[in-house]
Amino acid sequence: MLETLSRLDGVAGQERKVGEAISARLRGMGLTPKTDRIGNIIVRRETGAGDAPHVLLCAHMDEIGFLITEITAEGYLKFSPAGGVDRAVLPAKRVRIHGDLPGVIGIKAVHLQKPEERKKLPEFDAFYIDIGAQNREEAEKHVKIGDMACFEDTWHEFGAGLFMGKAIDDRAGCALLLELLAEEYPCCVTAAFTAQEEIGLRGAQVLAGSVQADWAIVLEATAAADVQETEPEETVTMIGRGPVCSLMDGGTVYPRDMIRAVRECAAAEDIPLQYRRGAAGSNDAGALQTGGAGLRLITLSLPCRYIHTMHSVAGWEDYANWKKLVIALLKNLLPQERKHA
Amino acid sequence: MTKSPENWKLLHELTAAFGPSGQEDEARRLIADTAAPYADEIREDTLGSLIVLRRGAAGAAPARRVMVCAHMDEIGVMVTHIDEDGFLRFAPVGGFNAARLEGQRLRFQSGLTAVLARQFIEPDRDKTENRRYYLDTGLSPAEIAARGVGIGDMAVFAAEMTETGGTVSGKALDNRIGCFILLEALRRVQSKHDLYFVFSAQEEVGLRGAKTAAHALEPDRAYIVDATIADDIPRNPVITLRLGRGPAVKVMDRSIVVAPARREEVAALAEAAGLPFQWEIISRGGTDAGPVHLSRAGVPTAGIAVPVRYIHSPAETAAKSDIIMARDLVVRCLEADA
């Protein structure tokens, strides 16, 4: 499922294909998904019990990419980044538009660069997408201003149980959420596949206005920095050390008692757990926690190297432990959280 | 107004209480206990804000729902990593600028203290980033754990409030001064309105507690009481707010432009009571006034602040007279008919 979702294209604001695939899957499970005005896919699953708590599970569908802003006379496509795109990963990378039109991100050849140009990273406006068109007229047959391009998918399994691909952030959360819906829980569950997280938690803001839940779990992919020349205190998270519990990020200070409940649940179930050792960045939790009269929540993430690139790397063992942890929490965290409901 | 000695002991206790954003429990408990004798209802909301209701006089004319809000959280740090030597790395909680605070002592809720220090940095490298700094408790990782401190725990300045002449100085005057003013106003106020005293959580990390509290309360009016930056320091060519010149009435900050009618209303009440005031216009930093005035269909909101020097340091300094006058002004706003 994760491979299928990773291969789909859904740049922030144009998640429709991903939403349709998820909706189809949900209907196949006998569920009735709804799409709201901003494009969130929402499905609610009741339990028999009337007083059962209501838990929101949330993962975002969108991925980072590029919005075409101009078609040059030569037939090149200029673009703006949609979401947190790192200029350093752009040169000579394959992209595609409409899911099937291939292109490559062009940059001046090394031979032609001046010595000072070689030393610094070009700005976004120095890059362009080359779709092989001879001129503007030819390019316009395939592409309009406002279309979006995303990284070519590169799904690949490799190494010791690892996989790489684009949009692992956060199709991994979407895949997990679909798997979680196959289980039974003693609580009412709303699963939300949100739109436009990467450009400002926008789908989640709309969701916060419509959903009524007692507490929530945000499922994310987060940066693993267990790479060369990173000091131990700066690794944030590491692949192979299990799912990641956030303590604080740019959008949220997570409730300490919920973090403790996660830690105790992981220990009781013998599931490895790591904390996110960095406070930068934010996710849908920021919008959900402060929406309406407020929502208690935690973020549990899959550690992911090279996040926001077309070769995001994560591991199956972490994924399996992530799933075990969320299932255990939904089955066990409830008595503690019922008090807050 | 009462002529009894002012209750500076309460301000002392409020500043001493531990309460970084998201971990305000200790401050919240102290405030709840202090408010209890004067409250009709007290509750804590989802984000940790404390909401104290004081009902309007029974049988009075149609009353408003008035929200008066002061944030109770303070800045600090959160432990993100403990190395094998026991050095603790941290992330800032709110506007915590380590480079300015090197050598300061910090305190965890468990009582453990630590000094803020800077790692070795090559002479020509950047020394301003928080990640170059660490906390030293003098203990090993095992001893730190035994003293109740681990990843996710927060620390605040370890500093006692002092009173010198007409000033007070200490940590967390931003914004325990506001909490003090609300508690003192709660004790004194006689209003026909239903008054919701909100001690908001998580202001320093993004004005979060006031947002959800305002949504839940749906007030007709709101007053935000905070500490603001006094810039009356030597050689400052353009001083905007001074200690001892009275409370600041908000005109604008990065989160709100106060409607002229709202600020003029507050100014008129100050003038009628013979209270001096200063206009507050700050170009950096937002306040709870931001999310509150934008709540639901919008809430008419005004701001009253006490000028504080050295804000976000362990020695925030304010004038007692400004605090007393701000309290009196807040009481008049809450009692006003408007």
Side-chain angles (χ1 to χ4, degrees):
Chain A
M1 191 66 213
L2 175 51
E3 176 182 349
T4 308
L5 290 175
S6 163
R7 288 186 186 277
L8 292 174
D9 297 349
V11 177
Q14 298 188 6
E15 303 90 352
R16 200 166 51 85
K17 274 186 195 158
V18 182
E20 282 169 357
I22 288 171
S23 294
R25 180 73 173 224
L26 290 168
R27 282 192 293 271
M29 296 166 80
L31 298 167
T32 314
K34 291 197 175 76
T35 306
D36 73 7
R37 286 177 183 169
I38 201 166
N40 298 318
I41 308 290
I42 303 166
V43 65
R44 184 175 165 133
R45 214 184 60 183
E46 305 287 344
T47 64
D51 64 340
H54 183 170
V55 180
L56 170 68
L57 302 175
C58 180
H60 70 88
M61 296 186 288
D62 60 311
E63 66 189 291
I64 59 162
F66 317 95
L67 176 83
I68 310 302
T69 55
E70 184 191 338
I71 301 172
T72 70
E74 299 85 4
Y76 297 135
L77 315 179
K78 306 294 284 182
F79 58 84
S80 269
V85 175
D86 181 356
R87 284 175 291 144
V89 307
L90 295 187
K93 296 305 188 309
R94 287 179 62 172
V95 299
R96 65 186 178 205
I97 303 166
H98 309 142
D100 55 8
L101 178 72
V104 59
I105 298 178
I107 189 73
K108 201 191 268 188
V110 67
H111 320 72
L112 307 176
Q113 291 171 10
K114 301 187 184 95
E116 61 269 25
E117 285 177 333
R118 291 183 198 179
K119 284 185 201 145
K120 82 183 226 294
L121 206 52
E123 297 297 325
F124 277 111
D125 56 13
F127 293 102
Y128 55 87
I129 294 170
D130 182 347
I131 54 166
Q134 298 287 345
N135 52 44
R136 181 180 287 140
E137 288 66 39
E138 200 181 315
E140 282 175 342
K141 286 180 197 158
H142 306 284
V143 181
K144 295 188 302 297
I145 286 171
D147 285 350
M148 280 178 169
C150 73
F151 290 126
E152 180 70 66
D153 79 70
T154 58
W155 180 268
H156 207 72
E157 302 199 27
F158 74 119
L162 302 186
F163 52 89
M164 68 170 88
K166 77 170 180 69
I168 302 302
D169 171 13
D170 183 29
R171 304 292 159 69
C174 296
L176 179 64
L177 193 35
L178 287 170
E179 289 184 33
L180 290 170
L181 288 170
E183 302 274 330
E184 295 298 324
Y185 309 102
C187 54
C188 172
V189 170
T190 291
F193 302 84
T194 58
Q196 303 193 25
E197 192 268 357
E198 297 288 2
I199 51 175
L201 322 180
R202 295 182 191 159
Q205 286 182 49
V206 174
L207 179 67
S210 69
V211 79
Q212 293 291 326
D214 298 311
W215 53 281
I217 304 177
V218 174
L219 302 168
E220 259 287 8
T222 194
D226 47 342
V227 296
Q228 245 186 318
E229 289 180 21
T230 301
E231 299 296 338
E233 69 270 18
E234 291 172 4
T235 52
V236 190
T237 71
M238 293 172 84
I239 286 180
R241 300 280 178 90
V244 181
C245 181
S246 292
L247 303 167
M248 176 174 75
D249 59 39
T252 311
V253 180
Y254 295 90
R256 237 186 339 178
D257 55 342
M258 290 191 81
I259 293 168
R260 194 178 312 125
V262 170
R263 184 175 64 226
E264 286 167 2
C265 179
E269 303 283 326
D270 207 18
I271 302 167
L273 177 74
Q274 54 184 329
Y275 295 115
R276 190 170 178 273
R277 289 180 296 181
S282 61
N283 63 44
D284 279 343
L288 293 172
Q289 188 191 33
T290 59
L295 183 60
R296 290 169 53 76
L297 44 64
I298 46 176
T299 292
L300 297 174
S301 303
L302 181 71
C304 183
R305 282 183 213 142
Y306 326 126
I307 199 163
H308 283 204
T309 78
M310 69 300 290
H311 305 297
S312 300
V313 170
W316 288 121
E317 193 188 328
D318 288 334
Y319 185 89
N321 282 320
W322 192 27
K323 180 176 173 178
K324 267 167 71 181
L325 180 61
V326 180
I327 289 173
L329 282 168
L330 290 173
K331 292 190 170 169
N332 303 327
L333 185 65
L334 303 172
Q336 188 243 353
E337 278 308 308
R338 189 171 278 149
K339 281 187 305 211
H340 288 283
Chain B
M1 284 305 131
T2 168
K3 292 285 180 207
S4 64
E6 302 299 346
N7 194 5
W8 298 116
K9 183 166 165 288
L10 174 61
L11 181 59
H12 193 283
E13 288 169 2
L14 285 167
T15 64
F18 180 91
S21 312
Q23 299 186 6
E24 298 95 348
D25 327 36
E26 198 177 301
R28 184 168 50 237
R29 220 173 300 126
L30 172 63
I31 292 167
D33 290 347
T34 310
Y38 311 98
D40 291 306
E41 213 179 285
I42 298 187
R43 68 172 194 269
E44 179 192 337
D45 81 356
T46 305
L47 266 82
S49 300
L50 189 76
I51 299 170
V52 176
L53 168 61
R54 172 77 170 273
R55 283 191 206 290
R64 294 179 190 276
R65 296 161 64 84
V66 178
M67 171 176 175
V68 54
C69 176
H71 73 86
M72 64 179 162
D73 61 315
E74 63 188 302
I75 62 162
V77 298
M78 177 191 268
V79 175
T80 54
H81 181 80
I82 303 176
D83 73 17
E84 62 266 31
D85 296 319
F87 296 129
L88 292 82
R89 299 288 173 160
F90 59 84
V93 177
F96 186 95
N97 182 348
R100 253 183 56 191
L101 298 164
E102 192 185 346
Q104 295 294 348
R105 294 181 70 76
L106 299 174
R107 181 174 67 82
F108 290 91
Q109 192 159 16
S110 73
L112 183 63
T113 59
V115 62
L116 177 68
R118 191 179 75 200
Q119 70 183 34
F120 176 78
I121 305 176
E122 305 288 341
D124 55 337
R125 300 290 292 276
D126 184 11
K127 296 180 177 62
T128 61
E129 293 175 296
N130 280 326
R131 67 194 183 100
R132 309 287 184 204
Y133 293 78
Y134 63 93
L135 303 180
D136 186 352
T137 62
L139 300 177
S140 69
E143 290 168 327
I144 291 168
R147 298 286 294 273
V149 170
I151 289 173
D153 282 320
M154 291 181 180
V156 301
F157 294 123
E160 284 270 307
M161 190 187 96
T162 57
E163 292 179 55
T164 307
T167 62
V168 291
S169 183
K171 79 162 178 81
L173 288 187
D174 172 13
N175 180 33
R176 303 293 160 71
I177 281 181
C179 299
F180 174 79
I181 290 169
L182 260 59
L183 288 167
E184 290 290 294
L186 173 67
R187 211 150 64 83
R188 290 170 161 79
V189 72
Q190 295 298 332
S191 179
K192 64 181 181 185
H193 308 302
D194 282 347
L195 304 178
Y196 291 88
F197 290 78
V198 175
F199 300 87
S200 62
Q202 303 193 28
E203 191 266 0
E204 298 286 2
V205 290
L207 320 177
R208 296 178 193 154
K211 179 170 188 270
T212 55
H215 182 93
L217 296 176
E218 293 189 73
D220 302 311
R221 280 290 165 87
Y223 296 95
I224 309 302
V225 183
D226 206 341
T228 189
I229 300 165
D231 54 4
D232 54 340
I233 53 172
R235 306 284 163 88
N236 181 2
V238 189
I239 292 171
T240 58
L241 287 171
R242 294 175 190 273
L243 259 54
R245 300 281 177 92
V249 176
K250 188 179 295 296
V251 176
M252 185 180 91
D253 64 34
R254 290 301 292 269
S255 65
I256 185 172
V257 178
V258 178
R262 295 285 82 71
R263 66 171 141 89
E264 290 301 344
E265 212 168 75
V266 176
L269 288 167
E271 273 156 15
L275 297 168
F277 69 91
Q278 320 175 59
W279 293 117
E280 180 201 23
I281 303 173
I282 49 176
S283 53
R284 61 199 168 101
T287 60
D288 279 344
V292 170
H293 87 293
L294 296 176
S295 184
R296 293 187 186 250
V299 177
T301 299
I304 296 168
V306 173
V308 172
R309 287 189 201 136
Y310 324 126
I311 212 153
H312 289 191
S313 85
E316 297 179 333
T317 299
K320 286 177 174 176
S321 60
D322 292 338
I323 299 172
I324 297 304
M325 288 186 283
R327 175 202 68 195
D328 292 347
L329 182 54
V330 167
V331 169
R332 276 160 206 278
C333 290
L334 299 181
E335 290 178 346
D337 275 335

